[in-house]
Amino acid sequence: MAVGKWGRSVRKHKWREWSRLALAVGASTFLAVLNASAGSWSPGIAALLIGPLLACIRLDMRRTAAVAAWSLLLALAAGAAQRRVSTPGFVVEFLVLLAGSTLAVRNAAQYTATETALARAMEVAHASQNAILHPVSAQLGSVSVCTRHHSPVPGASAGGDLYDIVHTPYGTRLLIGDVRGHSLDALVTTAATIRAFRDLAYLTPGLADLAGALDARISPSLGPEDFVTAVLAEFTPGEVRLVNCGHPAPIRLGNQIKLLEPPEFALPLGLHPTPRLHRVFLQPGDQLLFYTDGLTEARDAKGTAFPLLERVGDTLTAPSPSDALDALYGMVTAHTGGPLTDDLALILCQPADAPAPSVVRYA
C-alpha cells in the first residue's frame, strides 16, 4: 500500500511538471504564431518572454532554459516569416527577449538551488529526529518498554516530539514531551532536552527536582514563547511516580482504565514550573501508556476527537506490546481517515514480572 501511494504521488508530481511545461511552451508558440501572421496587428516578439517567465516560476533551470531556447527560435522564425530579422525594431525586441530569458533561467536556477537545499535540510532533520527517537523494545530494570514514533505525512516539517528511557540508581526513568512548534529550531530543542535528561536523570534523586533541573538547563536556550510540555516517570517496585509539566496525562491499563491526571496543573518546561510529585500504585498486570498530543488531537472529517479512553483497552488483546502500539496507531488512522498530520510518540510500559491483564473494562 505504501509503495502504491508513493507511485501515485510521483505520477501526480510528474503530471504537474509536464502541465506547467506545456503551458509555458504553448504560450510562447501562440504568441509566435500571432507575430508570424499577416494581420495588421501583432504583439511583438518581446511578448514571447511570457513563456520563460511562466516556466521560471515553478520549473527547474533545465526546463526553463528549454522554454527560453524554444521562445528564441520561435522569435527568429516569426521574424523570418515577416522578413523583419534585419530591421532595427526586430533586433531591439530580440535583445529584450534574450535578456529576459537569461534572467528567467537565472531565477529558475536560484529557485532550484533553494528547493534542493530546503529538501536536503528537511531530509537531514527527519533523519536526525529518527536517530534521536530510535525505537525501543527492551527490558530496562524491572520494566518492559516499547516505543513508537510516527512522523507527519510527507511534506510536513520536522516535529518536536521527544522521549527517552534510562535505568538509574533511583529506578527506571522515562521522559516524554513535546516541543512547541514544528521547525528545525524545535528539533534543536528536542535534542537539547533529551541530552539534558540523560545528564541529569542519573544525578538528581527527586523526580520533581529533576523537572526543575531540566527547566533550568534548557530555559536559557529557548525563545520568549518557546516551551516543552513533558511527563517524567520513575518506576519502583509496585508503583510509578509521575511529574507532569503541562503534558497529556498518561493512562493506566489493567482491570481498570484510568487517566492519571496530576493533582494540580503545572506549567511546561521553559516557563519555570513548580510541579508536584504524583504517586500511583500498580497492580499486577498494569500497563502505562504515555503519548503526545498527536493522539489526543487526532480528529475525523467531522472534527470529532479520537475516543482514546474508550478504544485504548482494545489494544491489550494484541499478543505483544509492539503489536499493541501498532494496533493503536491503526485505530487512530482509521478514525482520521489517513496518516496523521502531527507527530505522534507512544510508549507502553509494563513491569517485567507482571502477568498480562486478562480483563479490561472502562472506568
PDB file of all heavy atoms in Angstrom, residues 1 5 148-150 289 294-295 298-300 306-308 311-312 314-315 318 321-340 344 346:
ATOM      1  N   MET A   1       0.831  -1.201   0.000  1.00  0.00           N
ATOM      2  CA  MET A   1       0.000   0.000   0.000  1.00  0.00           C
ATOM      3  C   MET A   1       0.868   1.254   0.000  1.00  0.00           C
ATOM      4  O   MET A   1       0.603   2.222  -0.692  1.00  0.00           O
ATOM      5  CB  MET A   1      -0.935   0.001   1.200  1.00  0.00           C
ATOM      6  CG  MET A   1      -1.856   1.209   1.269  1.00  0.00           C
ATOM      7  SD  MET A   1      -2.990   1.137   2.671  1.00  0.00           S
ATOM      8  CE  MET A   1      -3.993  -0.253   2.202  1.00  0.00           C
ATOM      9  N   LYS A   5       0.985   4.291  -2.825  1.00  0.00           N
ATOM     10  CA  LYS A   5       0.818   5.712  -2.536  1.00  0.00           C
ATOM     11  C   LYS A   5       2.004   6.505  -3.046  1.00  0.00           C
ATOM     12  O   LYS A   5       1.846   7.600  -3.590  1.00  0.00           O
ATOM     13  CB  LYS A   5       0.656   5.922  -1.024  1.00  0.00           C
ATOM     14  CG  LYS A   5      -0.674   5.429  -0.482  1.00  0.00           C
ATOM     15  CD  LYS A   5      -0.772   5.701   1.012  1.00  0.00           C
ATOM     16  CE  LYS A   5      -2.104   5.245   1.559  1.00  0.00           C
ATOM     17  NZ  LYS A   5      -2.199   5.487   3.023  1.00  0.00           N
ATOM     18  N   ARG A 148       7.102   3.841  19.995  1.00  0.00           N
ATOM     19  CA  ARG A 148       6.835   4.104  18.594  1.00  0.00           C
ATOM     20  C   ARG A 148       6.891   5.613  18.371  1.00  0.00           C
ATOM     21  O   ARG A 148       6.491   6.393  19.231  1.00  0.00           O
ATOM     22  CB  ARG A 148       5.446   3.605  18.177  1.00  0.00           C
ATOM     23  CG  ARG A 148       5.334   2.115  18.002  1.00  0.00           C
ATOM     24  CD  ARG A 148       6.081   1.631  16.773  1.00  0.00           C
ATOM     25  NE  ARG A 148       5.859   0.210  16.559  1.00  0.00           N
ATOM     26  CZ  ARG A 148       6.530  -0.745  17.139  1.00  0.00           C
ATOM     27  NH1 ARG A 148       7.483  -0.436  18.020  1.00  0.00           N
ATOM     28  NH2 ARG A 148       6.281  -2.021  16.871  1.00  0.00           N
ATOM     29  N   HIS A 149       7.395   6.010  17.192  1.00  0.00           N
ATOM     30  CA  HIS A 149       7.335   7.413  16.790  1.00  0.00           C
ATOM     31  C   HIS A 149       6.903   7.474  15.339  1.00  0.00           C
ATOM     32  O   HIS A 149       7.499   6.830  14.477  1.00  0.00           O
ATOM     33  CB  HIS A 149       8.687   8.107  16.950  1.00  0.00           C
ATOM     34  CG  HIS A 149       8.685   9.520  16.444  1.00  0.00           C
ATOM     35  ND1 HIS A 149       9.357   9.905  15.309  1.00  0.00           N
ATOM     36  CD2 HIS A 149       8.044  10.629  16.891  1.00  0.00           C
ATOM     37  CE1 HIS A 149       9.146  11.196  15.096  1.00  0.00           C
ATOM     38  NE2 HIS A 149       8.359  11.647  16.025  1.00  0.00           N
ATOM     39  N   HIS A 150       5.840   8.209  15.068  1.00  0.00           N
ATOM     40  CA  HIS A 150       5.306   8.346  13.715  1.00  0.00           C
ATOM     41  C   HIS A 150       5.461   9.799  13.278  1.00  0.00           C
ATOM     42  O   HIS A 150       4.940  10.710  13.931  1.00  0.00           O
ATOM     43  CB  HIS A 150       3.836   7.937  13.675  1.00  0.00           C
ATOM     44  CG  HIS A 150       3.606   6.506  14.060  1.00  0.00           C
ATOM     45  ND1 HIS A 150       3.762   5.463  13.168  1.00  0.00           N
ATOM     46  CD2 HIS A 150       3.254   5.936  15.250  1.00  0.00           C
ATOM     47  CE1 HIS A 150       3.498   4.323  13.774  1.00  0.00           C
ATOM     48  NE2 HIS A 150       3.189   4.573  15.039  1.00  0.00           N
ATOM     49  N   LEU A 289       0.461   3.761  29.430  1.00  0.00           N
ATOM     50  CA  LEU A 289       0.620   4.306  28.087  1.00  0.00           C
ATOM     51  C   LEU A 289       0.937   5.790  28.186  1.00  0.00           C
ATOM     52  O   LEU A 289       0.161   6.561  28.761  1.00  0.00           O
ATOM     53  CB  LEU A 289      -0.651   4.103  27.268  1.00  0.00           C
ATOM     54  CG  LEU A 289      -0.638   4.725  25.869  1.00  0.00           C
ATOM     55  CD1 LEU A 289       0.378   4.003  24.972  1.00  0.00           C
ATOM     56  CD2 LEU A 289      -2.026   4.705  25.241  1.00  0.00           C
ATOM     57  N   GLY A 294      -0.394  14.337  19.504  1.00  0.00           N
ATOM     58  CA  GLY A 294      -0.827  13.845  18.211  1.00  0.00           C
ATOM     59  C   GLY A 294      -1.930  12.811  18.336  1.00  0.00           C
ATOM     60  O   GLY A 294      -2.713  12.613  17.400  1.00  0.00           O
ATOM     61  N   LEU A 295      -2.026  12.156  19.508  1.00  0.00           N
ATOM     62  CA  LEU A 295      -3.064  11.164  19.754  1.00  0.00           C
ATOM     63  C   LEU A 295      -4.364  11.823  20.197  1.00  0.00           C
ATOM     64  O   LEU A 295      -5.445  11.513  19.689  1.00  0.00           O
ATOM     65  CB  LEU A 295      -2.580  10.179  20.814  1.00  0.00           C
ATOM     66  CG  LEU A 295      -3.452   8.950  21.079  1.00  0.00           C
ATOM     67  CD1 LEU A 295      -3.613   8.118  19.819  1.00  0.00           C
ATOM     68  CD2 LEU A 295      -2.842   8.103  22.195  1.00  0.00           C
ATOM     69  N   ALA A 298      -6.069  13.995  17.332  1.00  0.00           N
ATOM     70  CA  ALA A 298      -6.445  13.341  16.078  1.00  0.00           C
ATOM     71  C   ALA A 298      -7.962  13.424  15.912  1.00  0.00           C
ATOM     72  O   ALA A 298      -8.724  13.017  16.796  1.00  0.00           O
ATOM     73  CB  ALA A 298      -5.987  11.888  16.095  1.00  0.00           C
ATOM     74  N   ARG A 299      -8.410  13.953  14.770  1.00  0.00           N
ATOM     75  CA  ARG A 299      -9.840  14.160  14.539  1.00  0.00           C
ATOM     76  C   ARG A 299     -10.249  13.610  13.183  1.00  0.00           C
ATOM     77  O   ARG A 299      -9.439  13.558  12.252  1.00  0.00           O
ATOM     78  CB  ARG A 299     -10.189  15.655  14.619  1.00  0.00           C
ATOM     79  CG  ARG A 299      -9.887  16.256  15.983  1.00  0.00           C
ATOM     80  CD  ARG A 299     -10.271  17.717  16.082  1.00  0.00           C
ATOM     81  NE  ARG A 299      -9.951  18.248  17.396  1.00  0.00           N
ATOM     82  CZ  ARG A 299     -10.740  18.142  18.464  1.00  0.00           C
ATOM     83  NH1 ARG A 299     -11.911  17.526  18.354  1.00  0.00           N
ATOM     84  NH2 ARG A 299     -10.384  18.637  19.619  1.00  0.00           N
ATOM     85  N   ASP A 300     -11.505  13.228  13.106  1.00  0.00           N
ATOM     86  CA  ASP A 300     -12.021  12.739  11.835  1.00  0.00           C
ATOM     87  C   ASP A 300     -12.496  13.903  10.979  1.00  0.00           C
ATOM     88  O   ASP A 300     -12.308  15.078  11.341  1.00  0.00           O
ATOM     89  CB  ASP A 300     -13.136  11.718  12.056  1.00  0.00           C
ATOM     90  CG  ASP A 300     -14.348  12.300  12.786  1.00  0.00           C
ATOM     91  OD1 ASP A 300     -14.448  13.552  12.896  1.00  0.00           O
ATOM     92  OD2 ASP A 300     -15.203  11.518  13.239  1.00  0.00           O
ATOM     93  N   PHE A 306     -10.516  11.564  18.603  1.00  0.00           N
ATOM     94  CA  PHE A 306     -10.386  10.119  18.762  1.00  0.00           C
ATOM     95  C   PHE A 306     -10.782   9.732  20.185  1.00  0.00           C
ATOM     96  O   PHE A 306     -10.259  10.287  21.160  1.00  0.00           O
ATOM     97  CB  PHE A 306      -8.949   9.697  18.480  1.00  0.00           C
ATOM     98  CG  PHE A 306      -8.684   8.240  18.704  1.00  0.00           C
ATOM     99  CD1 PHE A 306      -9.268   7.286  17.893  1.00  0.00           C
ATOM    100  CD2 PHE A 306      -7.836   7.825  19.724  1.00  0.00           C
ATOM    101  CE1 PHE A 306      -9.024   5.933  18.093  1.00  0.00           C
ATOM    102  CE2 PHE A 306      -7.583   6.479  19.929  1.00  0.00           C
ATOM    103  CZ  PHE A 306      -8.180   5.535  19.107  1.00  0.00           C
ATOM    104  N   PRO A 307     -11.716   8.765  20.362  1.00  0.00           N
ATOM    105  CA  PRO A 307     -12.170   8.368  21.712  1.00  0.00           C
ATOM    106  C   PRO A 307     -11.126   7.485  22.393  1.00  0.00           C
ATOM    107  O   PRO A 307     -11.258   6.258  22.451  1.00  0.00           O
ATOM    108  CB  PRO A 307     -13.472   7.610  21.419  1.00  0.00           C
ATOM    109  CG  PRO A 307     -13.286   7.048  20.045  1.00  0.00           C
ATOM    110  CD  PRO A 307     -12.449   8.060  19.299  1.00  0.00           C
ATOM    111  N   LEU A 308     -10.112   8.104  22.924  1.00  0.00           N
ATOM    112  CA  LEU A 308      -8.940   7.379  23.407  1.00  0.00           C
ATOM    113  C   LEU A 308      -9.282   6.400  24.522  1.00  0.00           C
ATOM    114  O   LEU A 308      -8.954   5.213  24.452  1.00  0.00           O
ATOM    115  CB  LEU A 308      -7.878   8.378  23.876  1.00  0.00           C
ATOM    116  CG  LEU A 308      -6.607   7.795  24.495  1.00  0.00           C
ATOM    117  CD1 LEU A 308      -5.913   6.862  23.515  1.00  0.00           C
ATOM    118  CD2 LEU A 308      -5.667   8.902  24.935  1.00  0.00           C
ATOM    119  N   ARG A 311     -11.273   3.346  23.412  1.00  0.00           N
ATOM    120  CA  ARG A 311     -10.680   2.432  22.444  1.00  0.00           C
ATOM    121  C   ARG A 311      -9.357   1.829  22.878  1.00  0.00           C
ATOM    122  O   ARG A 311      -8.960   0.785  22.366  1.00  0.00           O
ATOM    123  CB  ARG A 311     -10.460   3.166  21.110  1.00  0.00           C
ATOM    124  CG  ARG A 311     -11.728   3.699  20.451  1.00  0.00           C
ATOM    125  CD  ARG A 311     -12.679   2.565  20.075  1.00  0.00           C
ATOM    126  NE  ARG A 311     -12.039   1.535  19.276  1.00  0.00           N
ATOM    127  CZ  ARG A 311     -11.833   1.626  17.957  1.00  0.00           C
ATOM    128  NH1 ARG A 311     -12.237   2.709  17.301  1.00  0.00           N
ATOM    129  NH2 ARG A 311     -11.259   0.639  17.306  1.00  0.00           N
ATOM    130  N   VAL A 312      -8.662   2.491  23.798  1.00  0.00           N
ATOM    131  CA  VAL A 312      -7.299   2.050  24.105  1.00  0.00           C
ATOM    132  C   VAL A 312      -7.271   0.652  24.709  1.00  0.00           C
ATOM    133  O   VAL A 312      -6.321  -0.108  24.524  1.00  0.00           O
ATOM    134  CB  VAL A 312      -6.602   3.070  25.032  1.00  0.00           C
ATOM    135  CG1 VAL A 312      -7.211   3.036  26.426  1.00  0.00           C
ATOM    136  CG2 VAL A 312      -5.103   2.797  25.106  1.00  0.00           C
ATOM    137  N   ASP A 314      -8.855  -1.875  23.765  1.00  0.00           N
ATOM    138  CA  ASP A 314      -8.892  -2.886  22.714  1.00  0.00           C
ATOM    139  C   ASP A 314      -7.495  -3.338  22.305  1.00  0.00           C
ATOM    140  O   ASP A 314      -7.330  -4.449  21.791  1.00  0.00           O
ATOM    141  CB  ASP A 314      -9.628  -2.350  21.482  1.00  0.00           C
ATOM    142  CG  ASP A 314     -11.073  -2.000  21.786  1.00  0.00           C
ATOM    143  OD1 ASP A 314     -11.611  -2.538  22.780  1.00  0.00           O
ATOM    144  OD2 ASP A 314     -11.665  -1.197  21.036  1.00  0.00           O
ATOM    145  N   THR A 315      -6.505  -2.495  22.520  1.00  0.00           N
ATOM    146  CA  THR A 315      -5.146  -2.848  22.098  1.00  0.00           C
ATOM    147  C   THR A 315      -4.533  -3.923  22.974  1.00  0.00           C
ATOM    148  O   THR A 315      -3.563  -4.571  22.570  1.00  0.00           O
ATOM    149  CB  THR A 315      -4.233  -1.604  22.126  1.00  0.00           C
ATOM    150  OG1 THR A 315      -4.114  -1.135  23.480  1.00  0.00           O
ATOM    151  CG2 THR A 315      -4.815  -0.492  21.264  1.00  0.00           C
ATOM    152  N   ALA A 318      -3.763  -7.522  21.819  1.00  0.00           N
ATOM    153  CA  ALA A 318      -2.630  -7.833  20.939  1.00  0.00           C
ATOM    154  C   ALA A 318      -1.652  -8.747  21.670  1.00  0.00           C
ATOM    155  O   ALA A 318      -1.499  -8.668  22.895  1.00  0.00           O
ATOM    156  CB  ALA A 318      -1.934  -6.553  20.499  1.00  0.00           C
ATOM    157  N   PRO A 321       3.502  -6.004  23.247  1.00  0.00           N
ATOM    158  CA  PRO A 321       3.430  -4.536  23.315  1.00  0.00           C
ATOM    159  C   PRO A 321       3.642  -3.876  21.963  1.00  0.00           C
ATOM    160  O   PRO A 321       2.994  -2.868  21.654  1.00  0.00           O
ATOM    161  CB  PRO A 321       4.557  -4.188  24.294  1.00  0.00           C
ATOM    162  CG  PRO A 321       4.722  -5.402  25.131  1.00  0.00           C
ATOM    163  CD  PRO A 321       4.450  -6.560  24.223  1.00  0.00           C
ATOM    164  N   SER A 322       4.532  -4.431  21.148  1.00  0.00           N
ATOM    165  CA  SER A 322       4.760  -3.867  19.824  1.00  0.00           C
ATOM    166  C   SER A 322       3.499  -3.926  18.976  1.00  0.00           C
ATOM    167  O   SER A 322       3.116  -2.949  18.322  1.00  0.00           O
ATOM    168  CB  SER A 322       5.907  -4.614  19.132  1.00  0.00           C
ATOM    169  OG  SER A 322       6.111  -4.130  17.819  1.00  0.00           O
ATOM    170  N   ASP A 323       2.818  -5.075  19.006  1.00  0.00           N
ATOM    171  CA  ASP A 323       1.570  -5.214  18.257  1.00  0.00           C
ATOM    172  C   ASP A 323       0.494  -4.292  18.824  1.00  0.00           C
ATOM    173  O   ASP A 323      -0.352  -3.781  18.082  1.00  0.00           O
ATOM    174  CB  ASP A 323       1.093  -6.661  18.294  1.00  0.00           C
ATOM    175  CG  ASP A 323       2.015  -7.599  17.521  1.00  0.00           C
ATOM    176  OD1 ASP A 323       2.682  -7.118  16.581  1.00  0.00           O
ATOM    177  OD2 ASP A 323       2.073  -8.786  17.861  1.00  0.00           O
ATOM    178  N   ALA A 324       0.509  -4.089  20.132  1.00  0.00           N
ATOM    179  CA  ALA A 324      -0.482  -3.219  20.761  1.00  0.00           C
ATOM    180  C   ALA A 324      -0.337  -1.780  20.271  1.00  0.00           C
ATOM    181  O   ALA A 324      -1.333  -1.112  19.955  1.00  0.00           O
ATOM    182  CB  ALA A 324      -0.343  -3.286  22.281  1.00  0.00           C
ATOM    183  N   LEU A 325       0.899  -1.286  20.192  1.00  0.00           N
ATOM    184  CA  LEU A 325       1.110   0.081  19.724  1.00  0.00           C
ATOM    185  C   LEU A 325       0.768   0.208  18.247  1.00  0.00           C
ATOM    186  O   LEU A 325       0.213   1.222  17.810  1.00  0.00           O
ATOM    187  CB  LEU A 325       2.561   0.496  19.979  1.00  0.00           C
ATOM    188  CG  LEU A 325       2.957   0.658  21.442  1.00  0.00           C
ATOM    189  CD1 LEU A 325       4.388   1.192  21.546  1.00  0.00           C
ATOM    190  CD2 LEU A 325       2.005   1.594  22.186  1.00  0.00           C
ATOM    191  N   ASP A 326       1.095  -0.817  17.466  1.00  0.00           N
ATOM    192  CA  ASP A 326       0.722  -0.788  16.053  1.00  0.00           C
ATOM    193  C   ASP A 326      -0.799  -0.790  15.895  1.00  0.00           C
ATOM    194  O   ASP A 326      -1.352  -0.096  15.032  1.00  0.00           O
ATOM    195  CB  ASP A 326       1.318  -1.991  15.321  1.00  0.00           C
ATOM    196  CG  ASP A 326       2.831  -1.894  15.177  1.00  0.00           C
ATOM    197  OD1 ASP A 326       3.360  -0.771  15.295  1.00  0.00           O
ATOM    198  OD2 ASP A 326       3.469  -2.944  14.956  1.00  0.00           O
ATOM    199  N   ALA A 327      -1.488  -1.562  16.740  1.00  0.00           N
ATOM    200  CA  ALA A 327      -2.949  -1.607  16.679  1.00  0.00           C
ATOM    201  C   ALA A 327      -3.544  -0.261  17.056  1.00  0.00           C
ATOM    202  O   ALA A 327      -4.514   0.199  16.437  1.00  0.00           O
ATOM    203  CB  ALA A 327      -3.476  -2.704  17.606  1.00  0.00           C
ATOM    204  N   LEU A 328      -2.963   0.383  18.065  1.00  0.00           N
ATOM    205  CA  LEU A 328      -3.467   1.693  18.476  1.00  0.00           C
ATOM    206  C   LEU A 328      -3.301   2.720  17.362  1.00  0.00           C
ATOM    207  O   LEU A 328      -4.219   3.502  17.074  1.00  0.00           O
ATOM    208  CB  LEU A 328      -2.730   2.155  19.740  1.00  0.00           C
ATOM    209  CG  LEU A 328      -3.123   3.546  20.273  1.00  0.00           C
ATOM    210  CD1 LEU A 328      -4.603   3.606  20.593  1.00  0.00           C
ATOM    211  CD2 LEU A 328      -2.291   3.894  21.507  1.00  0.00           C
ATOM    212  N   TYR A 329      -2.143   2.704  16.712  1.00  0.00           N
ATOM    213  CA  TYR A 329      -1.930   3.647  15.609  1.00  0.00           C
ATOM    214  C   TYR A 329      -2.885   3.345  14.454  1.00  0.00           C
ATOM    215  O   TYR A 329      -3.400   4.266  13.810  1.00  0.00           O
ATOM    216  CB  TYR A 329      -0.487   3.573  15.123  1.00  0.00           C
ATOM    217  CG  TYR A 329      -0.172   4.579  14.042  1.00  0.00           C
ATOM    218  CD1 TYR A 329      -0.080   5.932  14.341  1.00  0.00           C
ATOM    219  CD2 TYR A 329       0.016   4.182  12.720  1.00  0.00           C
ATOM    220  CE1 TYR A 329       0.195   6.868  13.352  1.00  0.00           C
ATOM    221  CE2 TYR A 329       0.290   5.102  11.731  1.00  0.00           C
ATOM    222  CZ  TYR A 329       0.378   6.438  12.054  1.00  0.00           C
ATOM    223  OH  TYR A 329       0.643   7.373  11.060  1.00  0.00           O
ATOM    224  N   GLY A 330      -3.145   2.073  14.217  1.00  0.00           N
ATOM    225  CA  GLY A 330      -4.098   1.717  13.181  1.00  0.00           C
ATOM    226  C   GLY A 330      -5.494   2.230  13.494  1.00  0.00           C
ATOM    227  O   GLY A 330      -6.216   2.690  12.597  1.00  0.00           O
ATOM    228  N   MET A 331      -5.894   2.177  14.766  1.00  0.00           N
ATOM    229  CA  MET A 331      -7.197   2.701  15.157  1.00  0.00           C
ATOM    230  C   MET A 331      -7.282   4.211  14.929  1.00  0.00           C
ATOM    231  O   MET A 331      -8.300   4.739  14.460  1.00  0.00           O
ATOM    232  CB  MET A 331      -7.457   2.404  16.633  1.00  0.00           C
ATOM    233  CG  MET A 331      -7.643   0.947  16.970  1.00  0.00           C
ATOM    234  SD  MET A 331      -7.865   0.748  18.752  1.00  0.00           S
ATOM    235  CE  MET A 331      -7.731  -1.031  18.909  1.00  0.00           C
ATOM    236  N   VAL A 332      -6.183   4.904  15.259  1.00  0.00           N
ATOM    237  CA  VAL A 332      -6.189   6.367  15.122  1.00  0.00           C
ATOM    238  C   VAL A 332      -6.283   6.770  13.653  1.00  0.00           C
ATOM    239  O   VAL A 332      -7.059   7.656  13.285  1.00  0.00           O
ATOM    240  CB  VAL A 332      -4.928   6.977  15.768  1.00  0.00           C
ATOM    241  CG1 VAL A 332      -4.908   8.484  15.579  1.00  0.00           C
ATOM    242  CG2 VAL A 332      -4.872   6.649  17.238  1.00  0.00           C
ATOM    243  N   THR A 333      -5.484   6.135  12.806  1.00  0.00           N
ATOM    244  CA  THR A 333      -5.507   6.492  11.387  1.00  0.00           C
ATOM    245  C   THR A 333      -6.819   6.073  10.729  1.00  0.00           C
ATOM    246  O   THR A 333      -7.269   6.720   9.783  1.00  0.00           O
ATOM    247  CB  THR A 333      -4.326   5.863  10.644  1.00  0.00           C
ATOM    248  OG1 THR A 333      -4.300   4.446  10.881  1.00  0.00           O
ATOM    249  CG2 THR A 333      -3.014   6.471  11.128  1.00  0.00           C
ATOM    250  N   ALA A 334      -7.447   5.007  11.226  1.00  0.00           N
ATOM    251  CA  ALA A 334      -8.771   4.646  10.726  1.00  0.00           C
ATOM    252  C   ALA A 334      -9.790   5.712  11.115  1.00  0.00           C
ATOM    253  O   ALA A 334     -10.702   6.036  10.343  1.00  0.00           O
ATOM    254  CB  ALA A 334      -9.186   3.286  11.274  1.00  0.00           C
ATOM    255  N   HIS A 335      -9.614   6.294  12.307  1.00  0.00           N
ATOM    256  CA  HIS A 335     -10.518   7.362  12.761  1.00  0.00           C
ATOM    257  C   HIS A 335     -10.343   8.628  11.933  1.00  0.00           C
ATOM    258  O   HIS A 335     -11.328   9.274  11.553  1.00  0.00           O
ATOM    259  CB  HIS A 335     -10.254   7.651  14.237  1.00  0.00           C
ATOM    260  CG  HIS A 335     -11.053   8.786  14.794  1.00  0.00           C
ATOM    261  ND1 HIS A 335     -12.383   8.667  15.153  1.00  0.00           N
ATOM    262  CD2 HIS A 335     -10.718  10.090  15.041  1.00  0.00           C
ATOM    263  CE1 HIS A 335     -12.832   9.833  15.594  1.00  0.00           C
ATOM    264  NE2 HIS A 335     -11.842  10.704  15.542  1.00  0.00           N
ATOM    265  N   THR A 336      -9.091   8.990  11.640  1.00  0.00           N
ATOM    266  CA  THR A 336      -8.831  10.225  10.887  1.00  0.00           C
ATOM    267  C   THR A 336      -9.002  10.040   9.388  1.00  0.00           C
ATOM    268  O   THR A 336      -9.077  11.025   8.651  1.00  0.00           O
ATOM    269  CB  THR A 336      -7.411  10.736  11.166  1.00  0.00           C
ATOM    270  OG1 THR A 336      -6.456   9.733  10.791  1.00  0.00           O
ATOM    271  CG2 THR A 336      -7.239  11.066  12.654  1.00  0.00           C
ATOM    272  N   GLY A 337      -9.005   8.786   8.939  1.00  0.00           N
ATOM    273  CA  GLY A 337      -9.155   8.534   7.514  1.00  0.00           C
ATOM    274  C   GLY A 337      -7.871   8.635   6.730  1.00  0.00           C
ATOM    275  O   GLY A 337      -7.896   8.692   5.502  1.00  0.00           O
ATOM    276  N   GLY A 338      -6.732   8.645   7.396  1.00  0.00           N
ATOM    277  CA  GLY A 338      -5.452   8.728   6.710  1.00  0.00           C
ATOM    278  C   GLY A 338      -4.341   9.025   7.693  1.00  0.00           C
ATOM    279  O   GLY A 338      -4.566   9.115   8.914  1.00  0.00           O
ATOM    280  N   PRO A 339      -3.100   9.174   7.205  1.00  0.00           N
ATOM    281  CA  PRO A 339      -1.967   9.459   8.098  1.00  0.00           C
ATOM    282  C   PRO A 339      -2.184  10.736   8.905  1.00  0.00           C
ATOM    283  O   PRO A 339      -2.839  11.672   8.448  1.00  0.00           O
ATOM    284  CB  PRO A 339      -0.785   9.605   7.132  1.00  0.00           C
ATOM    285  CG  PRO A 339      -1.208   8.889   5.892  1.00  0.00           C
ATOM    286  CD  PRO A 339      -2.688   9.074   5.797  1.00  0.00           C
ATOM    287  N   LEU A 340      -1.631  10.767  10.099  1.00  0.00           N
ATOM    288  CA  LEU A 340      -1.765  11.943  10.959  1.00  0.00           C
ATOM    289  C   LEU A 340      -0.933  13.093  10.402  1.00  0.00           C
ATOM    290  O   LEU A 340       0.097  12.890   9.760  1.00  0.00           O
ATOM    291  CB  LEU A 340      -1.302  11.618  12.375  1.00  0.00           C
ATOM    292  CG  LEU A 340      -2.006  10.443  13.060  1.00  0.00           C
ATOM    293  CD1 LEU A 340      -1.489  10.285  14.485  1.00  0.00           C
ATOM    294  CD2 LEU A 340      -3.507  10.628  13.059  1.00  0.00           C
ATOM    295  N   LEU A 344       3.556  11.854  16.382  1.00  0.00           N
ATOM    296  CA  LEU A 344       2.958  11.070  17.458  1.00  0.00           C
ATOM    297  C   LEU A 344       4.021  10.160  18.054  1.00  0.00           C
ATOM    298  O   LEU A 344       4.654   9.377  17.344  1.00  0.00           O
ATOM    299  CB  LEU A 344       1.789  10.230  16.938  1.00  0.00           C
ATOM    300  CG  LEU A 344       1.171   9.245  17.946  1.00  0.00           C
ATOM    301  CD1 LEU A 344       0.626   9.981  19.158  1.00  0.00           C
ATOM    302  CD2 LEU A 344       0.094   8.404  17.276  1.00  0.00           C
ATOM    303  N   LEU A 346       4.587   7.271  21.161  1.00  0.00           N
ATOM    304  CA  LEU A 346       3.869   6.357  22.044  1.00  0.00           C
ATOM    305  C   LEU A 346       4.879   5.533  22.827  1.00  0.00           C
ATOM    306  O   LEU A 346       5.885   5.077  22.276  1.00  0.00           O
ATOM    307  CB  LEU A 346       2.980   5.407  21.230  1.00  0.00           C
ATOM    308  CG  LEU A 346       1.894   6.030  20.340  1.00  0.00           C
ATOM    309  CD1 LEU A 346       1.309   4.967  19.427  1.00  0.00           C
ATOM    310  CD2 LEU A 346       0.811   6.662  21.198  1.00  0.00           C
TER     311      LEU A 346
END
